[in-house]
Each structure stands twice: as C-alpha cells, then as structure tokens.
Amino acid sequence: MTTRRKFLTTAGVGAAAALAAPSQIKAQAPIKWRLQTYSGAPLGAHVIKPQIEAFNAAANGEMEIELYYADQLVPTDELFRAMQNGTLDAVQSDDATMASPVDISDFGGYFPFSTKFSLDLPVLFERYGLNEIWAEAYGEVENVTWLSAGAWDPLHIFTVNKPIRSIADMAGLRVFGVPTAGRFLSRYGLIPVTVPWEDVEVAMQTGELDGVAWCGFTEAYEVGWADICNYALLNNVTGAWCGSYFVNSESWAKVPPHLQQLYRSTIDQSHYYRQVWYWGGEANLRVNGGKLEHTTIPKEEWDTVVKDAEGFWDELASRSPRAAKVIDIFKEYTEIMEKAGTPYRG
C-alpha cells in the first residue's frame, strides 16, 4: 500500500507538471507557391483571385499561394516551361496559349464550334471522357500535372473602327486573339497578332490592332476594351473558352493530401463562380451594356463558316490517335445535343 500511495502521489505530481509545462512543438514552415495566370489583373480579380484568397484562408497558415497576373514573372507563352522547371509552382491558362507540348493542346482555349454554351465544356470533360484524355496526355510530360479544366466566356470579335457585317469584312483585320481560333479565322483574312496582354488597349488606340478575338462581352467590358472598341460581332466562334489548372509535379508531391484536396475543391469553386459570372454577364451586357454597336453576319453566310470548321476538325484529328479521339467525342456530343433539341440546341 505504501508503494502504491507513493506511486499515485508522484504520478499526480508528474501529471500536474506535464499539464503546467507542455512540450513545445515547433511549427513547420508554411509551403509557399507561386502561381501565374494568363489573365491581367482586372480580369484576374474574377477568374482566379477569389479562389486563391479562399485557399489561403482555409489553409490556415500551412500553405500560401502568391498570385501573379499575365506576364508579371514570365511571358504567357513561356508559362509551361517556367512551371516545368520550377520557376512557377502552378499555372492557370489554356493549353494553346501557353504552348503546351502535348498533342491535344489545340483543343485548349477556343476550339471552333466545339461548344455552344458554357455548360457544354464541363459536361464534355466530366461525362464524355476528356478528363481522362487530358490526364493521359500530361501524364507523358515530365514534371507537369494537369488538374482540372473549366469553362470561361464565348468568343466574339470586337473591333475599333471597322464593323464586321460579312465574312469579307474580316480580311486584313489585325486582332489580338488566342492561337487555335485565330488560325481558323485566318482563312477569312483575319490577321492574328500577338502582343503582351497589358499592351492590347494601347495597341488598339494607336492602330497597331484593329480589335480583339479573345473573349466575350463580360471581359470586354471588365478590362476596358469596350471603351476602345465600337463594334461587337454577335456571331460567336465557340460557346466557351477552355482553361485549365496545372501544377509542377514536384511541388504538388510536397503538398499533403488534405491541402491537395483543399486546392482541388477551391478550383471547383472557381469553376462555379466563373460559370455564373460569365453566363449572367454576357446576357446583361448585350442588353444593357450600351457601349458597343452589335453587328451580325447573315446566317446563310455564317453557316459556311460553321461548315468549314468540319474540315478544320478533321485536319487536327489527323495529327494523332489521341487528337482523333477528342474530335470523335466532339462529333458524338454535337450529334446528341442536336438530336436533343431545345433547350440544348435549336
């Protein structure tokens, strides 16, 4: 009993001491990432900033992402290489604009007539197999991991002083735009011109550019291009821009699973935010914007452009079996939507 009483006494003292002076555990330094987006700051305030702010707040000091806008650290066409070599930990862009060395890169950004509405794009990825194809393609590239694709706005052409009311009116127009759609539209005489994103507004004011084939109404108004341009062509080349989130594979491997899941969840949140922001913005600004005169190429004439896209699709399908698989999915999806009719097509 004496021994037992002594044990209880000393144990109590030890426990009290432990409670009074807990061991000090040194906090691990937070993970720091640098992410650059394709977009300038005014647009980035909507297409990515809310996501990064949400992630940093929820990460609770364990990780912090520094956000950089178009061309701040590296030129946009060098985003892929900068991410691959670790200069950047993550990127938000489309495949074509950042020159991804994969055989499906042309389908990023604006691929002519592959979608009619913004909801088409996530359905193609989630329900028709594009998620698996993109993951497979980037799985063959060293040190880059593709995470997710989402929809942005439709593609319209905005011009400063030269309205487009026929296909012939495109001839000779110098426009800032995304690679794949620009290559397609060049067959009608449109001249794609590449300048840094921040220089687009000045280039239109000085006459270096006649307009932009880069975005929809929401962006044109948000970034100030609607203040420079006078005309908006209502015929759109596709219903949604296809943008993705990418990470440096080594950086991604250092992120613990719960923060990886948090990052993926905030990406999904960003996709949802943009889906609503663009869908509502496009309609409202067409009706209430007031800054742009709307023009239209007659349907009979525009139908020839839509028809021409079939040959463009087949041209890209011939590049690789995987590219052909993507085109087959686009064709299958288009056929289903057209047969479904209203509200999917019609």
Side-chain angles (χ1 to χ4, degrees):
M1 287 294 293
T2 303
T3 304
R4 185 178 176 189
R5 287 193 190 103
K6 183 177 180 181
F7 169 77
L8 290 172
T9 303
T10 56
V13 172
L19 289 170
S23 59
Q24 299 297 313
I25 300 175
K26 187 175 181 181
Q28 185 178 4
I31 299 168
K32 296 275 190 178
W33 265 18
R34 298 200 298 182
L35 183 153
Q36 185 169 311
T37 176
Y38 74 96
S39 70
L43 178 60
H46 291 279
V47 302
I48 191 167
K49 187 178 179 183
Q51 180 233 338
I52 300 304
E53 289 179 338
F55 177 86
N56 286 342
N60 197 30
E62 293 183 64
M63 182 169 171
E64 182 181 357
I65 299 176
E66 297 175 351
L67 175 60
Y68 296 89
Y69 297 106
D71 305 310
Q72 281 193 331
L73 291 181
V74 300
T76 298
D77 60 0
E78 295 178 17
L79 282 174
F80 186 92
R81 296 302 180 193
M83 174 175 51
Q84 190 176 44
N85 65 30
T87 301
L88 297 170
D89 299 286
V91 163
Q92 181 202 49
S93 178
D94 75 87
D95 316 70
T97 299
M98 72 175 195
S100 291
V102 292
D103 55 359
I104 45 89
S105 65
D106 286 319
F107 303 119
Y110 288 117
F111 189 70
F113 304 106
S114 56
T115 58
K116 185 173 183 180
F117 305 117
S118 58
L119 192 55
D120 290 334
L121 195 128
V123 171
L124 281 161
F125 274 85
E126 295 290 339
R127 297 290 298 272
Y128 283 77
L130 294 193
N131 271 338
E132 291 75 17
I133 291 174
W134 257 247
E136 177 188 82
Y138 284 97
E140 298 170 0
V141 179
E142 183 180 359
N143 210 25
V144 169
T145 300
W146 173 86
L147 294 181
S148 180
W152 270 248
D153 50 344
L155 175 60
H156 292 273
I157 303 174
F158 302 91
T159 51
V160 180
N161 296 315
K162 300 174 180 178
I164 300 173
R165 295 189 173 94
S166 70
I167 294 174
D169 290 337
M170 292 190 201
L173 292 180
R174 295 161 296 176
V175 298
F176 172 74
V178 289
T180 309
R183 194 163 69 249
F184 173 70
L185 291 171
S186 66
R187 64 182 60 198
Y188 308 108
L190 207 71
I191 303 171
V193 178
T194 301
V195 298
W197 191 92
E198 293 288 349
D199 295 343
V200 172
E201 185 171 331
V202 173
M204 287 194 290
Q205 291 172 321
T206 61
E208 181 184 351
L209 291 173
D210 295 302
V212 294
W214 166 270
C215 61
F217 282 73
T218 315
E219 289 191 20
Y221 276 83
E222 186 69 27
V223 305
W225 294 344
D227 298 323
I228 308 300
C229 294
N230 291 302
Y231 303 99
L233 178 64
L234 291 181
N235 307 77
N236 61 306
V237 178
T238 192
W241 188 79
C242 174
S244 287
Y245 283 84
F246 306 85
V247 291
N248 173 280
S249 300
E250 292 179 0
S251 297
W252 185 240
K254 296 175 184 176
V255 177
H258 70 287
L259 290 179
Q260 287 188 357
Q261 181 57 52
L262 176 62
Y263 189 61
R264 289 184 182 275
S265 296
T266 56
I267 287 174
D268 289 341
Q269 178 189 44
S270 181
H271 290 335
Y272 176 76
Y273 178 98
R274 277 181 279 100
Q275 194 90 36
V276 175
W277 185 64
Y278 279 121
W279 184 254
E282 293 298 304
N284 179 61
L285 291 170
R286 290 190 198 193
V287 176
N288 299 314
K291 295 181 179 180
L292 298 160
E293 179 182 335
H294 300 171
T295 65
T296 305
I297 295 175
K299 183 181 184 305
E300 318 79 66
E301 193 176 358
W302 189 249
D303 283 346
T304 65
V305 177
V306 178
K307 186 67 176 175
D308 288 345
E310 294 178 8
F312 187 70
W313 284 21
D314 291 338
E315 174 189 323
L316 291 185
S318 67
R319 295 189 173 183
S320 73
R322 188 156 49 211
K325 190 174 180 180
V326 174
I327 293 296
D328 286 342
I329 289 172
F330 286 155
K331 288 180 177 179
E332 177 192 2
Y333 183 77
T334 300
E335 182 180 0
I336 289 174
M337 292 297 109
E338 288 176 350
K339 287 182 178 179
T342 306
Y344 299 96
R345 295 293 184 268

